[in-house]
Amino acid sequence: MSVVGCVAAGGSGERLGASGPKAFAVLAGRPMLEWSLDVLREVCDRVVVAVPAGYEEGADRVAGGTSRSSSVRNALAAAPEATVAVVHDAARPLLDAALARKCITSLEGFDGAIAAARVTDTVKEASADGSVVRSLDRESLWAVQTPQVFRADVLRQTLSADEEILAAATDDASLVERGGGAVRVVEAPGSNMKVTTQLDLRIAEAILTERC
Ligand code: CTP
Ligand code: MG
């Protein structure tokens, strides 16, 4: 088994509004990307990072794509030896090794095993004008995160789809599901947050500062 981490770090981070790409925004004294890289290097045989244009210099960095999933595809393409792919967003710097390992071991018998959190809010479906169509049963709802671990052959096949299909996907598991793959959720700790806005950055900073 060859486990390769594929890090999606190729986004611009528009909603964060920093002066450069989000993955390189400073978080608790170092680029955000570095925090999850430490953990992935601990649990993977190798890690490939898809970065924005102009950041390709450095070992195991590849150019990101125009969409998140095309960035993942580029990272995976640089690791033909991979039998298991651990896909992770640089925007989730609080990744812990136990979660990544749990996703890897949970892959047994599945095509994908993905970190997810039980939904704590009540979720409703509404039409464009805001009128509620229905309330969904929270018991069976999960908010999906990364890491998302896949059999590498399945992910390679999945990510060979057309660019527009990749661009429409908000995660890789949905593409695997679309191809008939079996995916399971793995419950993540509450700390596995995503940094999208400046408020998230402050929260992540507080948690990391407490950890160190
Ligand atoms: N990502 C990527 N390649 C892209 C777009 C996004 O690798 N073309 C990565 C981001 O770097 C991030 C992850 O996918 O780690 C999740 O995306 P998101 O949180 O939306 O980050 P950004 O696209 O950078 O942020 P925004 O949408 O606010 O511009
Ligand atoms: Mg984005």
Side-chain angles (χ1 to χ4, degrees), residues 83-87 103-104 106-114 148-156 158 172-173 175-184:
T83 56
V84 170
V86 179
V87 178
C103 289
I104 294 168
S106 300
L107 188 60
E108 181 72 46
F110 287 83
D111 299 304
I114 65 176
Q148 298 199 341
V149 177
F150 301 98
R151 285 181 36 198
D153 55 348
V154 171
L155 189 61
R156 274 189 205 101
T158 299
D172 305 298
L175 294 167
V176 170
E177 293 153 34
R178 185 178 157 273
V183 177
R184 66 172 301 188

Side-chain angles (χ1 to χ4, degrees), residues 15-59:
R15 290 168 290 178
L16 187 65
S19 52
K22 180 163 69 179
F24 296 89
V26 175
L27 171 62
R30 49 205 299 242
M32 186 185 304
L33 168 68
E34 299 294 331
W35 291 102
S36 56
L37 266 184
D38 281 353
V39 173
L40 290 167
R41 287 190 177 125
E42 212 182 291
V43 304
C44 300
D45 298 307
R46 182 154 86 93
V47 182
V48 181
V49 187
V51 293
Y55 289 79
E56 297 93 339
E57 217 165 289

